[in-house]
Amino acid sequence: MEELESRFGEFVGEVAEPPRVARYAVNEAMIRNWVEAHDDLNPVYVDPEAARATGRDDIVCPPAMVTTWVMQGYRRWRQVQALRAEGVQEEHAYSRLLALLDEHGFTSVVATAQEQEYVRELTPGTRVTCHFTIEGISPVKRTGLGDGCFITLRKRYVDQAHQLLVDEKFVILRFDPTTKDAPKEPAA
């Protein structure tokens, strides 16, 4: 593991992948679908009059919805999985990091933490872009899911004028599921 961990520094501080640009502008239909799916009854998301009564110009997007605007879709996910199955990596730091972890058996992932700071509200017409940076990688640790390392990504969501909307810290555990029930190694 020392050889693997010694390589983590190559990735920390690097741009994780190219910016993700929303396929669609923030729009009323998707906001309505979101709030109905989540049973969110806040009227500022769907009622222009209610939004104006709070000093807003129009409806706003639920803050937690920010990630949905830059999701790449299932087709892209399948493409990435096919590349991984062929041992092909894309030319960006996050892809190279995941390929390195794959080589060492760390093939599974679970999200472990997310912190978001909301700077500005999203409104219909906003075009969201997300910039990802690899902020940190922990040493390999024993977890309840198996041996793994925690990867911290910094995500900065901006609008079409490059104004910050949301600053996010997202942590995943990349782990080796075959080590879940392995005995702990004795301390040196």
Side-chain angles (χ1 to χ4, degrees):
M1 286 303 126
E2 288 179 25
E3 181 271 327
L4 172 64
E5 291 175 351
S6 71
R7 303 237 359 240
F8 289 169
E10 298 171 24
F11 301 98
V12 175
E14 292 294 314
V15 171
E17 61 184 43
R20 287 192 190 175
V21 180
R23 294 186 285 178
Y24 307 101
V26 173
N27 63 77
E28 294 178 39
M30 293 301 288
I31 292 171
R32 184 170 295 279
N33 289 340
W34 171 277
V35 299
E36 288 180 7
H38 292 273
D39 200 26
D40 190 330
L41 303 177
N42 189 334
V44 301
Y45 301 144
V46 294
D47 181 349
E49 291 305 316
R52 283 193 272 284
T54 65
R56 294 171 170 92
D57 293 333
D58 201 350
I59 66 167
V60 295
C61 178
M65 192 178 175
V66 68
T67 59
T68 64
W69 300 108
V70 297
M71 287 182 172
Q72 296 178 324
Y74 188 60
R75 189 172 291 147
R76 171 68 177 142
W77 181 86
R78 287 190 319 231
Q79 177 188 30
V80 169
Q81 298 312 307
L83 290 171
R84 283 183 65 207
E86 296 170 13
V88 175
Q89 57 184 282
E90 295 175 287
E91 288 303 315
H92 50 78
Y94 194 54
S95 180
R96 292 192 313 272
L97 173 59
L98 297 183
L100 176 65
L101 292 170
D102 282 349
E103 289 171 19
H104 287 82
F106 300 94
T107 57
S108 296
V109 66
V110 64
T112 62
Q114 179 184 38
E115 298 173 17
Q116 292 181 326
E117 176 186 356
Y118 304 112
V119 178
R120 292 185 40 240
E121 292 182 318
L122 282 72
T123 56
T126 302
R127 298 296 304 213
V128 180
T129 298
C130 185
H131 300 272
F132 293 73
T133 304
I134 301 171
E135 190 170 87
I137 307 167
S138 77
V140 174
K141 305 173 186 245
R142 172 65 44 98
T143 75
L145 296 172
D147 294 346
C149 61
F150 293 89
I151 302 169
T152 303
L153 299 171
R154 174 67 64 186
K155 300 179 181 182
R156 296 179 56 79
Y157 298 86
V158 298
D159 65 13
Q160 61 269 35
H162 308 288
Q163 297 295 309
L164 182 62
L165 300 164
V166 177
D167 188 33
E168 176 182 316
K169 184 168 100 172
F170 188 68
V171 183
I172 63 168
L173 170 64
R174 187 71 181 220
F175 64 98
D176 177 350
T178 67
T179 60
K180 179 178 182 194
D181 297 319
K184 290 187 177 183
E185 293 181 20

